């Protein structure tokens, strides 16, 4: 364990800035101006998820939700991507057709080019067909993704029409869901916001877990982050999970003697409590992950972490 900690502390390029957005903007020393700002963190109305009984749905309810989402995405793709007709990808055709479906993986582990399946729309039977992506120069897919594709389904060998092959849809083009419109702030809101901050910038630091190295549970990266934050004293520190990661090798192999709650208290709560004491003007936002085994709710969307296990 000591060698792992030493190895982390002696890593190369420590503190190196990899990329800067708008480097021409002026830099401020937040320590000198943090006490001159007036701001607060609020939760948008109807956006806070309350605790609920997950997995408390009938199969019919689940099917109806998935079906409604599937059909809504299909209509959006058809409209935004100028798709004239959505066809059945399982039908044999030499002509190119366009269809909409949901990506699935037919094997355990990560999605790869040989394991991509397309779930067809319910009125095409809701069946699965294998996708061939060899005609695409680049693509980005994930299980559950709903998209439009163009191509054809040939079930015979071009050089031997009597030879039957596995059904496979040859993809030549992908239509992805259009992005949501960017949020725009009214000029009056920006002026009011700037006035409350006395014309000073709001310094926000965001970090995402996991915060422990795969070789142990000493949380060296988190300790280093808190040490840096104690020096910089940002206005807001946003910490996103996982805090106790279910995919950590030692948890997967059953090599951890502590409970998830004990790990969270020792390596998350206590260091944060010490940081808050030394930096009382810094506000902290903590967002759980579906991979957090220290959180009771493991399905998305998640209620906030239990305040009983956090510093004030």
């Amino acid at each position: 364990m000591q060698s792992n900690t030493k190895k982390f502390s002696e890593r190369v390029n420590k503190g190196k800035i990899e990329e800067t957005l708008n480097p021409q903007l002026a830099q401020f020393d937040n320590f000198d101006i943090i006490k001159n700002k007036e701001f607060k963190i609020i939760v948008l109305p109807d956006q806070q998820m309350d605790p609920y009984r997950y997995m408390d749905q009938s199969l019919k309810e689940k099917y109806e939700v998935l079906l409604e989402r599937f059909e809504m995405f299909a209509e959006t793709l058809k409209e935004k991507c100028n798709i004239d007709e959505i066809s059945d990808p399982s039908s044999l055709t030499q002509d190119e057709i366009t269809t909409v479906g949901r990506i699935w993986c037919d094997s355990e582990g990560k999605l790869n080019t040989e394991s991509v399946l397309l779930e067809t729309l319910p009125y095409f039977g809701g069946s699965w067909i294998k996708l061939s992506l060899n005609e695409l120069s680049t693509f980005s897919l994930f299980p559950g993704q709903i998209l439009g594709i163009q191509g054809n389904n040939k079930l015979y060998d071009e050089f031997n029409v009597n030879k039957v092959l596995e059904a496979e849809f040859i993809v030549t083009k992908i239509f992805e869901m259009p992005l949501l419109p960017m949020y725009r702030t009214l000029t009056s809101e920006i002026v009011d916001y700037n006035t409350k901050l006395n014309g000073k910038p709001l310094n926000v630091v965001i970090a995402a877990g996991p915060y422990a190295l795969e070789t142990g549970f000493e949380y060296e990266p988190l300790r280093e982050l808190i040490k840096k934050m104690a020096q910089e004293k940002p206005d807001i520190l946003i910490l996103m999970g996982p805090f106790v990661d279910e995919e950590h090798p030692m948890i997967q192999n059953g090599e951890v003697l502590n409970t998830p709650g004990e790990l969270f208290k020792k390596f998350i709560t206590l260091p944060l409590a010490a940081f808050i004491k030394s930096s009382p003007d810094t506000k902290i936002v903590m967002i759980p992950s579906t991979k957090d085994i220290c959180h009771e709710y493991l399905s998305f969307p998640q209620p906030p972490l239990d305040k009983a296990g956090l510093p004030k």
Side-chain angles (χ1 to χ4, degrees), residues 240-291:
M240 299 187 292
F243 298 99
V244 183
D245 187 9
E246 67 176 5
E247 296 183 354
H248 192 288
M250 294 182 63
I251 291 179
Q252 293 282 329
N253 297 330
E255 301 173 1
V256 182
L257 299 179
N258 304 90
T259 66
E262 291 171 342
L263 291 172
F264 187 86
K265 180 178 180 181
K266 181 178 180 180
F267 296 110
I268 305 295
T269 302
L270 295 180
L272 284 180
F275 169 70
I276 292 172
K277 187 176 181 179
S278 64
S279 306
D281 292 314
T282 298
K283 293 179 172 59
I284 300 178
V285 177
M286 299 183 68
I287 304 173
S289 165
T290 54
K291 296 181 180 179

Side-chain angles (χ1 to χ4, degrees), residues 21-50:
L21 179 65
N22 297 327
Q24 74 278 6
L25 297 180
Q27 299 294 314
F28 293 86
D29 187 348
N30 202 57
F31 181 76
D32 295 331
I33 61 179
I34 189 171
K35 294 184 179 180
N36 298 324
K37 303 175 189 176
E38 177 189 344
F39 71 93
K40 61 181 179 179
I41 300 175
I42 62 173
V43 178
L44 295 175
D46 302 324
Q47 294 300 308
Q48 179 68 71
M49 177 59 63
D50 295 323

Side-chain angles (χ1 to χ4, degrees), residues 55-116:
M55 299 181 70
D56 187 34
Q57 289 177 305
S58 66
L59 289 177
K60 180 181 178 182
E61 290 175 321
K62 291 181 181 179
Y63 172 77
E64 289 175 348
V65 170
L66 291 174
L67 177 59
E68 181 181 2
R69 181 179 177 86
F70 208 165
E71 292 179 340
M72 178 189 71
F73 274 49
E75 289 301 316
T76 301
L77 281 166
K78 186 176 180 181
E79 177 184 352
K80 299 296 183 180
C81 300
N82 296 319
I83 299 175
D84 295 328
E85 181 182 2
I86 297 178
S87 304
D88 183 0
S90 61
S91 299
L92 300 182
T93 175
Q94 298 187 50
D95 299 324
E96 285 202 337
I97 63 170
T98 303
T99 190
V100 173
R102 191 193 331 256
I103 297 297
W104 287 96
C105 180
D106 73 343
S107 62
E108 294 184 4
K110 295 184 179 180
L111 195 68
N112 59 70
T113 55
E114 300 300 322
S115 64
V116 182

